[in-house]
Amino acid sequence: MYIKYKIVILMLFVFTSATAQRVLTLNEAATIALDHNYGIKIAKNNTEIAKNNKSILNSGYLPTLTGDAGAGYDLDNTEAVFSDGSVTKLNGAESSNYNASIDLDYTLFDGLGRYYDYKQLKEEYKLSELEARETIENTIAQLFTVYYNVAQVSENANALKQTLEISNDRILRAKYQFEYGQGTMLDVLNAQVDINNDSINLMNSEQNLLNTKRDLNVVLGTELELNFEVDTLITFILDINKEDLHAKMRANNVSLLQVDKNIVINEFTIKANTSGYLPTVGLTGSYGWNKNNNNAASFLSESTNTGLSGGVTLSWDLFDGGSTMTNVRNARLNLDNQKLEKESIFISLDRDFNNAWGDYQNKLKIYYIQENNIITSQNNFDRTREKFKLGQATSIEFRQAQLNLLTAEFSKNNAKYEAKLAELYLLQLSGELLNVSL
């Protein structure tokens, strides 16, 4: 009998362990998102496209080789008069010809246009890397937001479960007191109403939890089973220095880096367009083979030619209708616009940074106040609960203390995650979001 009891206990333990919810850490979630998020995948593909574009194969520095081949056939009625006065008439005279060649074209000089185009392609690749980084930063920020939303809803649901447990204990006590004549049916009914309300609130919270987990799956780009839990432990980076962060923002903010890269690209665009004022020098070469099978009226019945040919070409648009001048002027205006945009972004980022810093400090203080408030609310509830057991507090007072504690827990959870998200936004502005330890 004792052995059977141990086996049952062991089976229950194994079953409980197998069905336990796994904890999805923030680090695991970030790893999954980096591998599966669709926006990140698209950004990586765009970077690969830019990498291909900056290849030497797309630079214009390599020559072009073209292979040509052809064949011809003629069936003619021919009347030929020779110099000695003799005449030859041919009906259905056949002739054919065959040819093949390999042609080479190479641009020796094009006014340095391809040189600056090639440099521009390299800078566009670096710009695509910055755009991919921006996508990753935004995705990670979105991941933080949704992940912490799941954590907050999870903690709220746990608080509602505790509230429901307390309400269940209360109705049992009310029923016992009514049975022994120490309470009224009104106390039982009030307790039942509160249980119903607590049950509805818990059901709504659990449904909201499932919805937020589905939102997290969308960001992850995968379909995890919804029985996972998330880590609700939050730590703050308390040694953040405002001046250091501001300096990092000026140096590492991805929006500023992209504007700087666009300025460099536009400078190369101006130089590339200026090349239209200069001539183009090219080299051509060919190796060919030709064979002709002539009819009887021809002097030669068959001829075959093979050989090399080459040459140098020069082309110079002395006047192209003003298109080069227009392109250069527009490119310079675009460069001015990029510089003005950089100054505008500087101003906006300074404002956003100062607002984010003040918001973070404010929300951090609110969180600490809410932590103290939860202690006060817990003490108040414990005292009211003891007085309620002794009959020194009414059910209304007990319920109010219970709701005050629940509200305090909700407020603390909200303040905790709002402060953390404010901190992460501050790090994102400074370009340090991807360097933070999860």
Side-chain angles (χ1 to χ4, degrees):
M1 185 69 181
Y2 177 72
I3 294 177
K4 290 181 179 180
Y5 176 76
K6 292 185 66 176
I7 292 175
V8 171
I9 295 297
L10 179 61
M11 291 178 65
L12 288 174
F13 175 78
V14 172
F15 177 77
T16 303
S17 300
T19 57
Q21 292 178 320
R22 66 174 289 244
V23 177
L24 177 68
T25 66
L26 191 54
N27 188 59
E28 291 174 336
T31 301
I32 294 173
L34 290 174
D35 291 334
H36 298 282
N37 180 270
Y38 292 103
I40 292 178
K41 286 182 178 180
I42 293 173
K44 289 180 179 178
N45 287 339
N46 289 335
T47 301
E48 284 299 313
I49 292 173
K51 183 178 180 181
N52 294 334
N53 288 338
K54 80 177 184 69
S55 168
I56 188 68
L57 299 176
N58 191 47
S59 64
Y61 277 107
L62 299 180
T64 60
L65 283 175
T66 305
D68 294 312
Y73 174 80
D74 294 311
L75 183 63
D76 300 320
N77 296 324
T78 304
E79 180 178 342
V81 179
F82 296 96
S83 59
D84 60 359
S86 61
V87 177
T88 299
K89 292 183 178 181
L90 299 174
N91 293 322
E94 295 182 355
S95 63
S96 61
N97 62 83
Y98 307 92
N99 65 83
S101 66
I102 295 178
D103 303 310
L104 179 143
D105 286 294
Y106 184 67
T107 301
L108 296 175
F109 178 76
D110 67 344
L112 298 178
R114 64 181 173 181
Y115 173 77
Y116 291 116
D117 285 339
Y118 190 41
K119 283 185 169 293
Q120 183 176 336
L121 289 173
K122 289 183 177 181
E123 295 301 324
E124 286 177 352
Y125 169 67
K126 295 176 182 178
L127 177 62
S128 71
E129 288 184 317
L130 291 173
E131 291 171 346
R133 173 189 154 187
E134 182 181 32
T135 299
I136 293 173
E137 282 187 3
N138 291 335
T139 301
I140 294 299
Q142 184 183 15
L143 173 67
F144 284 141
T145 301
V146 179
Y147 185 92
Y148 287 138
N149 190 22
V150 174
Q152 181 179 345
V153 175
S154 297
E155 288 199 283
N156 289 347
N158 289 333
L160 287 169
K161 288 177 183 177
Q162 295 175 0
T163 299
L164 183 58
E165 290 174 1
I166 293 171
S167 295
N168 284 325
D169 179 70
R170 172 188 160 196
I171 196 172
L172 287 176
R173 182 177 299 276
K175 288 179 178 179
Y176 288 146
Q177 289 176 342
F178 176 71
E179 290 176 359
Y180 290 99
Q182 298 178 356
T184 65
M185 178 56 69
L186 182 61
D187 293 331
V188 176
L189 294 175
N190 286 335
Q192 185 62 56
V193 170
D194 292 337
I195 283 181
N196 292 340
N197 290 331
D198 293 340
S199 299
I200 292 172
N201 291 335
L202 179 58
M203 290 171 60
N204 289 332
S205 181
E206 289 177 340
Q207 181 59 49
N208 189 24
L209 179 59
L210 292 176
N211 293 342
T212 54
K213 286 182 177 181
R214 293 188 184 97
D215 292 338
L216 182 59
N217 273 341
V218 171
V219 180
L220 295 177
T222 186
E223 287 290 337
L224 297 179
E225 294 293 334
L226 298 182
N227 60 348
F228 65 86
E229 292 182 348
V230 295
D231 189 2
T232 58
L233 179 63
I234 294 293
T235 56
F236 294 97
I237 306 175
L238 301 179
D239 58 345
I240 294 179
N241 183 275
K242 182 179 180 181
E243 287 71 23
D244 289 343
L245 272 185
H246 188 268
K248 289 179 178 179
M249 181 200 72
R250 287 295 186 102
N252 299 322
N253 182 272
V254 68
S255 297
L256 281 177
L257 293 177
Q258 288 183 72
V259 172
D260 287 336
K261 196 58 62 181
N262 280 320
I263 289 175
V264 174
I265 290 173
N266 274 286
E267 288 173 344
F268 286 136
T269 300
I270 293 174
K271 295 177 180 179
N273 288 329
T274 306
S275 67
Y277 293 125
L278 299 176
T280 298
V281 179
L283 175 67
T284 62
S286 177
Y287 177 82
W289 170 81
N290 292 276
K291 181 179 181 180
N292 293 301
N293 296 317
N294 302 316
N295 58 38
S298 299
F299 180 74
L300 299 174
S301 63
E302 182 180 308
S303 65
T304 302
N305 298 319
T306 59
L308 291 169
S309 64
V312 178
T313 62
L314 183 144
S315 175
W316 196 344
D317 287 334
L318 300 178
F319 181 70
D320 61 358
S323 60
T324 298
M325 184 181 298
T326 302
N327 291 335
V328 172
R329 288 176 177 176
N330 289 340
R332 285 173 177 165
L333 289 173
N334 285 331
L335 179 61
D336 290 340
N337 286 340
Q338 292 293 336
K339 292 179 179 179
L340 291 172
E341 183 179 354
K342 182 178 180 179
E343 294 178 7
S344 175
I345 290 178
F346 264 134
I347 296 174
S348 297
L349 281 178
D350 281 341
R351 177 205 61 195
D352 293 342
F353 179 83
N354 288 321
N355 289 345
W357 178 263
D359 186 56
Y360 172 58
Q361 296 297 321
N362 184 58
K363 288 181 176 177
L364 200 59
K365 291 176 182 178
I366 291 175
Y367 169 61
Y368 292 142
I369 292 173
Q370 293 293 353
E371 275 195 322
N372 292 329
N373 188 42
I374 196 72
I375 296 174
T376 303
S377 298
Q378 184 67 54
N379 290 334
N380 178 63
F381 173 73
D382 292 338
R383 290 170 61 88
T384 304
R385 190 177 192 178
E386 289 301 318
K387 292 175 66 176
F388 179 70
K389 291 178 180 179
L390 297 174
Q392 298 176 354
T394 65
S395 60
I396 295 177
E397 292 173 330
F398 176 84
R399 180 62 176 177
Q400 187 60 50
Q402 185 185 22
L403 293 178
N404 288 341
L405 176 59
L406 182 63
T407 301
E409 289 176 340
F410 283 179
S411 298
K412 184 204 72 171
N413 293 338
N414 184 64
K416 176 173 69 171
Y417 293 109
E418 281 195 350
K420 186 60 180 179
L421 290 175
E423 179 186 81
L424 293 171
Y425 177 61
L426 191 61
L427 292 172
Q428 184 179 7
L429 282 176
S430 63
E432 292 293 303
L433 181 63
L434 301 182
N435 300 327
V436 67
S437 178
L438 301 180

